[in-house]
Amino acid sequence: TWMTSARVNGLPYYYTSTNAGTTWTARTPPFSAFTASTPFWDGTNYILYGHSLTTNGVYESTDAATWTSRTGISLSGPTDMIYNGSVYVVVQTATGYATSADRTTWTSRTLSFTPAGAPTPCVGSGIICWHSGASLFLMGASSAPTNSYYTSPDGTSWTKYMIDTSFDPTTVSPTLVFHDGTRFVVVYSSGLVFYSTTGTSWTRNFQATCFGASTIIRTPTGICSGNTTKRVMVTDVTDT
């Protein structure tokens, strides 16, 4: 089953398709305060969460039709969720975040930095991503220095690193972080694009640039990063 969310005439809906997107069925969300959160798929369950998990809660489903309510999380504005096979991490554009091993019991935590980036149509990208090959979570940081980012093997302890962007004084905090299936990809608002297989050593892609990138997706031939005015297709993220 495919699933997406949207607002139609100001009203929240989500849509499902069982024939690879040929036809779609409009469905009513499981909670009234639904704010078109991006649906999350962990390999077994679809997960929906509202803008405020404290009041709207978390709902899960195995078929995207019948939903079970789960315990809410004390976050004012959750924006992204990621799962690495053993732990769920929910983040926001503030220092508070939460982790859970079972989606039922959540532990509230506090970062030592403010995450950078913005949520994208691809859950688990934009603010936080997971690289199974490197066994690391990665988040950009908006706190100084602005070229810093943090990695974690478990979603609990975070280590600070920096990408060398000294050659471009216009570079500010990472706009998006992404995992393309093989590599970490970091896009800056200045247009710079870097990739890494380890999360610690980075290479710049000189052929790609997208100023003020606000979304990034994986395509069959590479990645596509863009904003509201321009799109950049990278057929090979390692093209230098």
Side-chain angles (χ1 to χ4, degrees):
T1 301
W2 290 10
M3 178 181 175
T4 188
S5 59
R7 298 187 72 85
V8 179
N9 296 325
L11 299 176
Y13 291 93
Y14 73 95
Y15 293 78
T16 59
S17 174
T18 57
N19 53 14
T22 301
T23 59
W24 293 85
T25 300
R27 300 185 184 273
T28 303
F31 48 97
S32 59
F34 181 71
T35 55
S37 68
T38 302
F40 179 73
W41 170 251
D42 67 4
T44 303
N45 303 281
Y46 297 91
I47 302 172
L48 280 178
Y49 51 92
H51 180 67
S52 172
L53 296 185
T54 305
T55 58
N56 298 342
V58 179
Y59 289 78
E60 65 180 50
S61 172
T62 56
D63 60 6
T66 302
W67 296 88
T68 300
S69 175
R70 293 293 188 183
T71 304
I73 309 169
S74 297
L75 292 179
S76 59
T79 53
D80 208 355
M81 177 182 287
I82 191 70
Y83 178 58
N84 71 346
S86 60
V87 63
Y88 296 83
V89 181
V90 176
V91 298
Q92 58 183 344
T93 53
T95 57
Y97 75 110
T99 61
S100 175
D102 56 10
R103 307 177 311 283
T104 299
T105 302
W106 292 87
T107 301
S108 296
R109 303 184 184 277
T110 302
L111 296 167
S112 62
F113 61 96
T114 300
T120 75
C122 295
V123 178
S125 69
I127 295 177
I128 185 172
C129 61
W130 166 258
H131 186 345
S132 58
S135 296
L136 287 175
F137 293 100
L138 183 145
M139 272 197 283
S142 62
S143 49
T146 55
N147 59 338
S148 61
Y149 67 97
Y150 289 74
T151 66
S152 172
D154 55 13
T156 302
S157 58
W158 295 86
T159 302
K160 178 181 178 180
Y161 295 94
M162 289 186 291
I163 297 176
D164 182 12
T165 59
S166 58
F167 52 83
D168 188 344
T170 65
T171 296
V172 294
S173 304
T175 304
L176 300 169
V177 297
F178 184 70
H179 181 239
D180 72 351
T182 305
R183 296 160 286 265
F184 284 122
V185 181
V186 172
V187 182
Y188 286 87
S189 58
S190 63
L192 297 182
V193 177
F194 291 84
Y195 65 91
S196 171
T197 57
T198 63
T200 56
S201 177
W202 295 84
T203 301
R204 180 183 174 186
N205 186 320
F206 286 91
Q207 304 303 317
T209 181
C210 186
F211 296 95
S214 58
T215 190
I216 187 169
I217 61 172
R218 185 171 59 189
T219 74
T221 57
I223 62 170
C224 182
S225 174
N227 56 24
T228 57
T229 60
K230 62 168 63 174
R231 294 288 184 267
V232 175
M233 174 63 73
V234 184
T235 56
D236 180 0
V237 73
T238 62
D239 186 4
T240 58

